[in-house]
Amino acid sequence: MKKILILIIVCFSSMGYTQNVAILKYNGGGDWYSNPTAVPNLVAFANTNIKTTISKNLQAVAVGSENLFNYSLLFMTGHGNIFFSDDEAKNLKNYLISGGFLHISDNYGLDKYIRKEIKKVFPKLEFKEIPSNHAIFNQTFKFPNGMPKIHEHDKKPAQGFGIFHGARLVILYDYETDLSDGWEDGLIHNNPKSVREKALKMGSNIIEYAFKN
């Protein structure tokens, strides 16, 4: 097992993935494809404002695919059910502990499903609220109060939860804010420009953090 993990890490680091992101495709019936303009808009914003060179030719990649290892950052969203098979959970875990990063944006209704499925990936780890002094809130753009509030669901405060593997944050889960709504074209949710800009800045921080760590 140790030799296999070492091989995965070597392959991961040699694939030239550092400027690639993808949308995570999952089973269970949930709408993994929701918010179709969100990640393209975020990529355009990041390329302009933090000088990344992410390809605009965005791909969707299945949880169980070996192609996961071509990307340093995966974006995941939806409203409904999610299901990871044992093999998919193992593949996602190997991806994450080998240097990958997953951002999950609750598009309302995702919470009870994602918490159950992430338990398959990391049975011994729990989501922990990420403190506002964490590096992910302090990249090019500063968020001294932590996760910004973008979209209203149940009148609860915005929270950023994380799964930490050792000291490294490998999963960021935004809850009661829906960052990806804020990345979408302005006409879709009628968010003010200031709100969309705040969401895009936080999204850029996620990209910057994932590429550095």
Side-chain angles (χ1 to χ4, degrees):
M1 178 63 191
K2 189 173 182 180
K3 289 182 179 179
I4 293 172
L5 183 56
I6 290 170
L7 179 61
I8 289 170
I9 293 170
V10 170
C11 290
F12 197 107
S13 62
S14 66
M15 294 177 98
Y17 66 92
T18 50
Q19 291 285 291
N20 289 324
V21 305
I23 296 162
L24 191 65
K25 180 180 179 180
Y26 52 85
N27 295 311
D31 53 342
W32 60 266
Y33 45 81
S34 60
N35 291 8
T37 66
V39 179
N41 285 345
L42 175 60
V43 165
F45 184 89
N47 284 348
T48 298
N49 291 277
I50 62 171
K51 308 307 177 186
T52 49
T53 55
I54 304 166
S55 172
K56 295 179 181 179
N57 183 26
L58 293 169
Q59 303 294 316
V61 59
V63 182
S65 172
E66 63 183 15
N67 291 332
L68 246 60
F69 296 87
N70 292 336
Y71 305 96
S72 62
L73 172 59
L74 302 173
F75 290 103
M76 178 182 185
T77 193
H79 298 83
N81 191 37
I82 300 165
F83 176 78
F84 296 157
S85 69
D86 290 344
D87 285 345
E88 288 172 335
K90 183 178 179 181
N91 194 53
L92 183 56
K93 179 179 181 179
N94 285 337
Y95 162 79
L96 292 168
I97 67 176
S98 300
F101 190 90
L102 173 63
H103 171 234
I104 306 165
S105 188
D106 178 19
N107 208 357
Y108 199 52
L110 198 72
D111 189 68
K112 64 180 180 180
Y113 302 110
I114 194 60
R115 290 181 179 274
K116 177 171 62 72
E117 296 308 294
I118 292 299
K119 266 296 180 184
K120 295 179 181 178
V121 182
F122 292 109
K124 296 182 180 180
L125 300 180
E126 302 285 346
F127 276 114
K128 297 180 179 179
E129 187 161 13
I130 303 170
S132 59
N133 63 354
H134 189 273
I136 205 161
F137 298 121
N138 295 279
Q139 296 293 311
T140 295
F141 302 108
K142 308 302 179 185
F143 290 87
N145 298 316
M147 188 62 67
K149 185 75 169 178
I150 303 303
H151 196 253
E152 188 60 73
H153 288 153
D154 290 324
K155 301 188 184 301
K156 295 178 181 178
Q159 291 178 283
F161 293 104
I163 293 288
F164 291 83
H165 183 257
R168 180 174 169 264
L169 176 65
V170 296
I171 300 176
L172 169 66
Y173 171 41
D174 74 66
Y175 178 66
E176 283 294 324
T177 179
D178 200 344
L179 280 179
S180 59
D181 265 9
W183 303 340
E184 286 218 272
D185 290 348
L187 293 176
I188 294 176
H189 300 288
N190 294 317
N191 288 321
K193 182 179 178 181
S194 60
V195 170
R196 292 188 67 243
E197 186 175 77
K198 186 164 54 174
L200 289 163
K201 286 180 176 179
M202 185 64 229
S204 294
N205 272 16
I206 295 169
I207 290 173
E208 190 173 359
Y209 178 85
F211 285 179
K212 289 178 179 177
N213 295 275

